[in-house]
Amino acid sequence: MIDSLPQRTGLETRQKVLLYGHSRGAQAVHRFATYYPERTLAVAALSAGSYTLPLQTMLINGESQSLPLPFGVATMSRYLGRDFNAVAFKQIAFRIEVGGIDTNPADTPRAWDPYLGATRVERARTYTKTLQSM
């Protein structure tokens, strides 16, 4: 779709996109960046309910566990036909935001709890720390 914009609109576009999303949209834009980092310049993700960690494995309860999609990128090649591009991903600028009192666990899906925490605040912090450690 991005590649077809110049033809459809008559306007030139750049190779990389700037992405902004809120809530489910935040999940969509950070996942686009994870799947297509070579096409992404920057991401602003506000109040996401979950994140796909840019990791193949993670220590959980002291044991290394594989992180399949949508939790991590261990199985990305199965779905996209190629592995996660960590080199390109590290070049993306991220802005991760969430309201400071967005701490109701009932507002987020439980499946991500072991990887990110139970609330939007915990999840944003975990994702941000992961990005910073890269």
Side-chain angles (χ1 to χ4, degrees):
M1 180 189 295
I2 293 168
D3 292 338
S4 71
L5 282 174
Q7 181 181 3
R8 292 182 2 198
T9 65
L11 302 171
E12 286 187 40
T13 60
R14 297 182 181 186
Q15 287 293 319
K16 294 186 176 189
V17 294
L18 301 169
L19 301 168
Y20 168 86
H22 175 263
S23 192
R24 180 65 183 106
Q27 293 166 209
V29 299
H30 94 273
R31 286 190 179 117
F32 179 93
T34 303
Y35 302 161
Y36 305 103
E38 63 285 342
R39 297 300 307 268
T40 307
L41 182 62
V43 173
L46 287 70
S47 299
S50 64
Y51 299 88
T52 296
L53 291 162
L55 304 171
Q56 293 200 21
T57 61
M58 180 181 213
L59 281 180
I60 299 175
N61 298 324
E63 291 186 33
S64 180
Q65 292 189 11
S66 179
L67 293 181
L69 284 174
F71 307 107
V73 297
T75 58
M76 184 176 280
S77 63
R78 182 183 316 160
Y79 299 98
L80 272 72
R82 59 180 169 71
D83 290 329
F84 174 64
N85 186 342
V87 173
F89 186 82
K90 291 176 186 180
Q91 302 304 309
I92 301 170
F94 279 88
R95 177 76 178 194
I96 306 299
E97 293 189 16
V98 64
I101 58 172
D102 201 346
T103 58
N104 184 350
D107 292 340
T108 56
R110 300 284 54 89
W112 275 263
D113 288 2
Y115 313 108
L116 296 167
T119 70
R120 280 188 170 92
V121 170
E122 291 172 353
R123 292 171 181 203
R125 286 184 180 145
T126 299
Y127 188 71
T128 299
K129 286 179 184 176
T130 302
L131 294 175
Q132 290 169 340
S133 72
M134 291 182 78

